[in-house]
Amino acid sequence: MNPRSLLERYNIQPKKSLGQNFLHDPGVLDKIAAAAELTPADAVLEIGPGTGALTERLAAAAGRVVAVETDARLQPLLAERLASCPHVEVVYADILAVDVPALMGPAPYIVVANLPYYITSAILRHLLEAPRRPRRLVLTVQQEVAERIMAAPGDLSLLAVSVQFYGQPRTVMHIKPAAFWPRPDVDSAVLRIDVYDRPPVDVPDERAFFRVVRAGFSQKRKQLRNALGAGLGLGGEAAAALLTRAGVDPRRRAETMTLAEWAALARAAAEGGL
């Protein structure tokens, strides 16, 4: 049954405030489930099960599925649809308020999600900055966001650096609006992020690394000496000296920096007691 008919049966109207666009194309749903490469030994965290179409596919492949849904109106629909799946647990909560490692337990887990576009960045931070991160994420996001995450030096953003620090992203497929109901106004993309066991660059610690990166992007259109000078409270001359010690031209801008250069800058800042 398509999501419109299914929701009408339960007298549920999609909420724009929750960013609800329900994916219903069977071929797309199959490809998303396949991209997760699930086995019966795997535990899966699904964010936003919606009408349960993807949940059923995840349940057919994985040994355990925990689906976190913020809209409690969907409870009777999901209870009926997933009644034959005893290894599926649906939790009605805001994912940003959930202690994900505690919910998923000590075993490794995989995330599969059709993310509301307006909180994609916040959810990514919540998952990737957790004490115990997922080992893989397969995410449906706005295509523009996918392109930002996949960007190379020269067009980097804080989001791109944050994701690429923790894992290797790649695009699985693009999705047209017709695959959803209601139709979104933009194209979407499915991203797979394979999370590293350890970051690919040497940093003093994650907090110190991101303190420097956030300062660098705090005034993206300015040269790094000015952005860092303001963001770290150093002033332009001290920031220029710090950048020079790290081997970075103070006239560079944040979007041009590689992960290795950000790491060198974080190490220089730590050595300088910042």
Side-chain angles (χ1 to χ4, degrees):
M1 185 180 293
N2 66 54
R4 183 171 188 169
S5 301
L6 193 57
L7 291 167
E8 286 176 352
R9 179 175 152 192
Y10 288 88
N11 197 29
I12 299 171
Q13 289 293 322
K15 284 187 176 181
K16 278 191 175 182
S17 63
L18 296 178
Q20 287 180 326
N21 301 99
F22 299 100
L23 184 59
H24 61 81
D25 185 297
V28 173
L29 291 164
D30 288 343
K31 288 178 181 177
I32 292 171
E37 293 186 9
L38 301 174
T39 73
D42 288 322
V44 181
L45 169 64
E46 184 188 13
I47 301 170
T51 61
L54 181 56
T55 317
E56 287 182 327
R57 289 163 169 81
L58 301 178
R64 178 186 179 217
V65 178
V66 179
V68 176
E69 174 55 61
T70 193
D71 190 353
R73 298 178 304 156
L74 294 166
Q75 190 165 355
L77 186 161
L78 289 171
E80 181 178 337
R81 185 163 195 172
L82 302 173
S84 62
C85 303
H87 58 305
V88 175
E89 174 189 359
V90 183
V91 177
Y92 293 92
D94 177 352
I95 187 62
L96 296 178
V98 171
D99 182 341
V100 173
L103 176 66
M104 297 307 296
Y109 65 97
I110 295 165
V111 171
V112 181
N114 176 15
L115 295 182
Y117 296 153
Y118 70 102
I119 54 170
T120 295
S121 296
I123 291 175
L124 279 167
R125 287 197 305 272
H126 187 57
L127 296 171
L128 293 175
E129 294 176 9
R132 196 167 51 77
R133 293 180 278 274
R135 62 186 178 91
R136 183 183 309 137
L137 302 94
V138 178
L139 309 173
T140 302
V141 299
Q142 184 177 338
Q143 185 166 315
E144 180 184 339
V145 173
E147 291 169 355
R148 285 175 57 207
I149 290 172
M150 294 288 297
D155 196 28
L156 286 177
S157 62
L158 177 58
L159 176 62
V161 173
S162 300
V163 172
Q164 293 176 25
F165 178 79
Y166 289 113
Q168 176 64 55
R170 66 178 175 87
T171 303
V172 174
M173 64 182 299
H174 299 284
I175 310 176
K176 292 297 183 183
F180 298 86
W181 185 82
R183 291 189 180 201
D185 296 327
V186 296
D187 287 357
S188 303
V190 178
L191 276 184
R192 170 168 160 162
I193 304 169
D194 290 289
V195 179
Y196 301 125
D197 291 333
R198 59 181 58 85
V201 290
D202 178 28
V203 299
D205 63 68
E206 292 179 16
R207 182 172 296 182
F209 174 78
F210 281 109
R211 179 170 177 259
V212 169
V213 173
R214 289 188 180 101
F217 279 102
S218 63
Q219 301 181 49
K220 186 178 176 182
R221 296 189 181 278
K222 293 191 174 182
Q223 294 180 357
L224 275 169
R225 61 173 292 160
N226 296 320
L228 283 175
L232 295 177
L234 299 177
E237 288 188 14
L242 172 63
L243 286 155
T244 300
R245 287 200 304 275
V248 177
D249 185 336
R251 296 170 296 180
R252 297 267 299 278
R253 286 179 167 77
E255 65 265 26
T256 71
M257 295 275 284
T258 65
L259 275 180
E261 288 173 325
W262 283 118
L265 186 56
R267 292 194 299 271
E271 289 164 4
L274 296 175

